[in-house]
Amino acid sequence: MADPKQAAKAGAENEAHIAVHWREEEYVYPPAKFIGQANLTDPAVLERFSEKNFPECYREYADMLDWDEYWHTTLDTSNPQFWKWFVGGKLNVSYNCVDRHLKKYKNKAALIFVPEPEDEPVYALTYQELYTRVNEVAAVLREDCGLKTGDRVTIHMPMILELPITMLACARLGVVHSVVFGGFSGEAAGLRAADSGSHVMVYADGYYRGGKKIDHKASADIAVEMAKKEGQKVDKILVWRRHRGQYMSAKPMIEGRDYFMDDLLKKHLRKKVAPVSLDSEAPLFLMYTSGTTGKPKGCQHRTGGYLAYVTGTSKYYQDIHPEDVYWCMADIGWITGHSYIVYGPLALGGTSVIFEGVPNYPDSGRVWRIAEQLDVNIFHTSPTAIRMLRKTGPDEPQKYNYHFKHMTTVGEPIEPETWRWYYESVGKGEAVIVDTWWQTETGGFLCTTKPGMDPMKAGSAGPPALGIYPAIYDEENKDLKAGSGKAGNICIRNPWPGIMQTIWGDNDRFTRQYYTKYCKNPKSTDWRDWPYFAADGAVLPADGYFRILGRVDDVINVAGHRLGTKELEAACLTVKEVAEAAVVPVVDEIKGRMPVVYMALKPGVSDPQRVEKEVISVIETLIGKIARPKSIHVVSDLPKTRSGKIMRRVLAAISNTMDVGDVTTLANPDIVEEIRKQVQGTGPVQLKEGPEDVKLFGSNE
Ligand code: WT7
């Protein structure tokens, strides 16, 4: 272990620095029964995807799709880093996810909806019925809303079947969808609608969550207002009713703006809308995520490359066969849901489960009851959910008769102890586990074991995915080789079909954020000169299994969801009594990380507790409940450098009981001890050690 003093000196403002480290674990080998049926066991795949076969190796994924016109160039690098994939090809995503399966699987479930109320029956939607409904909705979008290829639509919806149906209807027309997580506020949805230039938003009236009826339509009015403030007119709100013919919201429908989908659909029953044959490079969707600045960025994903990548990785790493019952417990409002609930599984003719509720309601057996009832055999979730299920019902899984062949963990590092519970209790020792590391930007998996070929190692994501060539660079551009024991910035040396095209409307930010830092030659059109900077810290042991340490930028990964510290700080500053605010990550037993707010108030504020309450409420409305801070500290001043920069690393060190390091050069060094006492108390404090090797990771913007 490195000297924690050293660690603190290097800076502790980001997640990688407070990474909780565990020792290297032994290999666990995949069960023979799994290997016997796995999609990927042929060792020749390594040769096919070797670096010398790049980029042509990715034909293997593109050939899993039906193309209207085959492409002529696999990868065009003429305009770095705006790579083009499968150039000249034409296809339609909804055709690939729906129509093409009708011949063999029309009578098979495409999606299975599990409502939260247990007395409401499970609903299985066949491919034939999905086809009918996607066509009808496409007719509404085209004929009633006048939407056409290239237009954007913001979809702010919960986990109900109508969400993927609406996404696929957009894809049928080449309308670019931007799905905003249902748990986000109306303000957040409105901001995103404005950024994407959406005139139409799609809502649900309400849904069930944690035993409560949620009035979701109420967010629509707020979103429209917010978009208007940002200069964007939203003229139509389409409202799906959770219960056909009954309205769940207390908010009135606004004449001329709001329309019930079930009313509109009456005119389009059984109508067919031909899938639009789209350029491989046509944008398919935007997914907003947090970055280093206050403004969320719209990651723009393409049609051909994205679909090829999620299809190939769903087949090889999720091991989806049409006869499986696959359940990914993520929300469709995040990239995991797009890639691995909707697009990848459906492109393979899979059966994908959609669960409306929360995992521990009405009790901690719910998830396993669903698994038993539907005979789920592939399960996909996050370390946060696993920790929570373990905490609330460690012995529940064995009470239910289900059998998983395969399980996924995604979104955060998973500690070996949690991994073992997942393996032994949830998987009953029968299931293989993949720990998949990737990001909103990357479309699909970047590091994971090949489930039928590689041993698992608890606590490590694993080797790079096929065709992905990562490297770890330090701040001096030095390549940190496998086994060096040093942590650095993980980068991907090559382009791949799932990588985003750009940040919507901001090509410069795209370049700056991901490529400027390690670009070897800005004039070069050789992809080798343009490594992708992922903003994660990582270490690579000698066996080639990557260990991800966490974000090195101003992003906090809370329960597998990304929050920008700058977004949170901006929200705090909207409360007029707040003079200055700094947000830092703190380790949390269940959620991995949580934000902590430090703020100094303007002079003369008499009621700091009221201000704290207001800050929490503002954060919840502007961003969402998931951003609720773990604690708020009102302090007399924030530690600053002589040039006035707030030293977040010092605050992070205090919140995580790590050494604050040398603070003598600060403009106000005495404040550090004052804050430390305020947060940790006056007694002796046992410092936690930092990661085994900590380097100075710079923020890149
Ligand atoms: C960030 C991306 C990937 C879809 C869900 C999150 C962290 C993701 C892992 C993993 C350790 C992980 C990284 C990454 N992360 N997967 N298996 N092990 N860390 O997508 O919201 O874009 O967040 O999540 O820090 O940068 P996202």
Side-chain angles (χ1 to χ4, degrees), residues 336 411-413 435-440 536 548 551 557 562:
T336 306
E412 324 146 58
D435 179 345
T436 59
W437 169 71
W438 59 296
Q439 310 174 305
T440 305
D536 271 320
I548 307 297
R551 301 290 304 190
N557 187 335
R562 269 161 70 170

Side-chain angles (χ1 to χ4, degrees), residues 223-271:
V224 171
E225 265 315 294
M226 189 69 182
K228 194 170 147 205
K229 258 194 235 155
E230 296 283 306
Q232 176 68 31
K233 183 162 193 288
V234 174
D235 29 59
K236 272 200 178 61
I237 303 276
L238 307 181
V239 182
W240 287 102
R241 282 194 269 202
R242 172 68 176 74
H243 300 284
R244 209 164 266 248
Q246 290 171 41
Y247 189 41
M248 252 177 109
S249 170
K251 293 281 163 187
M253 294 288 278
I254 293 184
E255 176 88 39
R257 188 197 76 180
D258 299 352
Y259 300 88
F260 286 129
M261 276 303 270
D262 45 332
D263 286 346
L264 295 177
L265 282 163
K266 284 181 191 146
K267 287 195 297 252
H268 303 288
L269 292 184
R270 291 175 302 283
K271 205 172 262 176

Side-chain angles (χ1 to χ4, degrees), residues 106-301:
K106 60 172 168 283
N107 202 26
K108 191 181 89 85
L111 299 167
I112 301 181
F113 175 60
V114 182
E116 189 185 84
E118 275 187 287
D119 54 2
E120 197 181 317
V122 163
Y123 187 95
L125 190 74
T126 62
Y127 272 97
Q128 181 69 29
E129 191 56 17
L130 178 62
Y131 169 73
T132 304
R133 303 207 42 198
V134 167
N135 273 278
E136 290 172 353
V137 176
V140 169
L141 297 178
R142 192 171 66 185
E143 292 167 32
D144 297 334
C145 305
L147 291 164
K148 49 183 195 319
T149 304
D151 291 345
R152 279 82 54 211
V153 165
T154 296
I155 307 176
H156 188 201
M157 283 180 71
M159 286 286 281
I160 56 175
L161 280 178
E162 287 74 11
L163 171 54
I165 290 170
T166 308
M167 291 161 68
L168 289 163
C170 288
R172 199 162 188 88
L173 301 172
V175 168
V176 180
H177 60 69
S178 167
V179 177
V180 177
F181 170 55
F184 269 158
S185 62
E187 283 88 348
L191 266 184
R192 287 158 176 76
D195 188 79
S196 64
S198 299
H199 292 278
V200 176
M201 294 184 79
V202 188
Y203 268 87
D205 60 346
Y207 58 104
Y208 298 92
R209 202 164 171 84
K212 291 197 206 80
K213 270 190 188 182
I214 311 286
D215 184 344
H216 188 61
K217 165 65 169 55
S219 297
D221 300 327
I222 301 168
V224 171
E225 265 315 294
M226 189 69 182
K228 194 170 147 205
K229 258 194 235 155
E230 296 283 306
Q232 176 68 31
K233 183 162 193 288
V234 174
D235 29 59
K236 272 200 178 61
I237 303 276
L238 307 181
V239 182
W240 287 102
R241 282 194 269 202
R242 172 68 176 74
H243 300 284
R244 209 164 266 248
Q246 290 171 41
Y247 189 41
M248 252 177 109
S249 170
K251 293 281 163 187
M253 294 288 278
I254 293 184
E255 176 88 39
R257 188 197 76 180
D258 299 352
Y259 300 88
F260 286 129
M261 276 303 270
D262 45 332
D263 286 346
L264 295 177
L265 282 163
K266 284 181 191 146
K267 287 195 297 252
H268 303 288
L269 292 184
R270 291 175 302 283
K271 205 172 262 176
K272 297 293 172 288
V273 174
V276 177
S277 196
L278 291 161
D279 196 291
S280 189
E281 280 293 307
L284 174 63
F285 66 85
L286 308 180
M287 168 62 63
Y288 282 83
T289 190
S290 299
T292 45
T293 65
K295 197 176 147 205
K297 52 194 174 191
C299 296
Q300 178 182 322
H301 283 283

Side-chain angles (χ1 to χ4, degrees), residues 229-502:
K229 258 194 235 155
E230 296 283 306
Q232 176 68 31
K233 183 162 193 288
V234 174
D235 29 59
K236 272 200 178 61
I237 303 276
L238 307 181
V239 182
W240 287 102
R241 282 194 269 202
R242 172 68 176 74
H243 300 284
R244 209 164 266 248
Q246 290 171 41
Y247 189 41
M248 252 177 109
S249 170
K251 293 281 163 187
M253 294 288 278
I254 293 184
E255 176 88 39
R257 188 197 76 180
D258 299 352
Y259 300 88
F260 286 129
M261 276 303 270
D262 45 332
D263 286 346
L264 295 177
L265 282 163
K266 284 181 191 146
K267 287 195 297 252
H268 303 288
L269 292 184
R270 291 175 302 283
K271 205 172 262 176
K272 297 293 172 288
V273 174
V276 177
S277 196
L278 291 161
D279 196 291
S280 189
E281 280 293 307
L284 174 63
F285 66 85
L286 308 180
M287 168 62 63
Y288 282 83
T289 190
S290 299
T292 45
T293 65
K295 197 176 147 205
K297 52 194 174 191
C299 296
Q300 178 182 322
H301 283 283
R302 73 194 89 220
T303 297
Y306 171 82
L307 192 66
Y309 197 69
V310 299
T311 305
T313 51
S314 292
K315 179 160 182 173
Y316 288 168
Y317 303 108
Q318 288 305 126
D319 200 55
I320 296 175
H321 303 63
E323 57 274 26
D324 290 323
V325 181
Y326 167 77
W327 181 17
C328 171
M329 225 167 52
D331 195 288
I332 294 176
W334 307 110
I335 192 72
T336 306
H338 277 49
S339 300
Y340 299 112
I341 297 179
V342 181
Y343 289 121
L346 294 183
L348 291 171
T351 295
S352 187
V353 175
I354 294 179
F355 175 44
E356 179 180 36
V358 293
N360 54 355
Y361 181 84
D363 56 68
S364 51
R366 182 71 204 270
V367 168
W368 320 123
R369 280 201 291 285
I370 294 170
E372 179 184 281
Q373 183 181 343
L374 305 184
D375 202 10
V376 171
N377 66 341
I378 309 178
F379 185 65
H380 188 155
T381 192
S382 65
T384 292
I386 302 167
R387 289 182 209 115
M388 196 189 64
L389 289 164
R390 179 178 178 210
K391 191 173 176 189
T392 54
D395 304 321
E396 287 299 307
Q398 69 220 45
K399 297 184 191 157
Y400 296 91
N401 181 21
Y402 68 82
H403 295 278
F404 295 152
K405 68 165 186 179
H406 180 293
M407 305 191 297
T408 307
T409 161
V410 64
E412 324 146 58
I414 182 165
E415 51 292 349
E417 203 199 322
T418 306
W419 191 97
R420 268 190 294 277
W421 183 76
Y422 197 32
Y423 183 77
E424 281 154 19
S425 296
V426 177
K428 304 176 178 179
E430 305 164 327
V432 78
I433 295 182
V434 291
D435 179 345
T436 59
W437 169 71
W438 59 296
Q439 310 174 305
T440 305
E441 292 86 340
T442 73
F445 304 152
L446 293 179
C447 282
T448 164
T449 48
K450 292 174 276 304
M453 297 175 73
D454 302 328
M456 304 163 250
K457 189 159 88 174
S460 298
L466 293 166
I468 301 292
Y469 293 93
I472 299 181
Y473 299 128
D474 69 9
E475 288 299 312
E476 284 79 48
N477 287 12
K478 209 175 111 220
D479 193 345
L480 302 175
K481 295 283 181 227
S484 73
K486 295 213 168 72
N489 294 316
I490 185 166
C491 294
I492 311 298
R493 290 193 286 113
N494 61 305
W496 66 97
I499 180 69
M500 68 196 281
Q501 287 176 301
T502 187

Side-chain angles (χ1 to χ4, degrees), residues 15-84:
E15 293 201 332
H17 286 112
I18 56 169
V20 185
H21 274 250
W22 40 81
R23 61 178 180 82
E24 297 270 341
E25 293 284 315
E26 298 291 316
Y27 283 149
V28 177
Y29 290 86
K33 200 168 154 202
F34 177 84
I35 300 173
Q37 59 80 64
N39 279 329
L40 183 65
T41 50
D42 176 11
V45 76
L46 297 174
E47 169 64 18
R48 294 204 298 278
F49 280 85
S50 66
E51 204 168 335
K52 75 174 193 310
N53 288 329
F54 178 86
E56 299 309 321
C57 55
Y58 281 119
R59 281 175 179 266
E60 187 159 330
Y61 286 177
D63 285 343
M64 293 178 190
L65 306 179
D66 283 6
W67 294 79
D68 303 333
E69 263 172 58
Y70 209 64
W71 69 91
H72 51 73
T73 307
T74 305
L75 172 64
D76 173 355
T77 63
S78 59
N79 181 22
Q81 47 338 102
F82 302 95
W83 319 117
K84 293 193 177 74

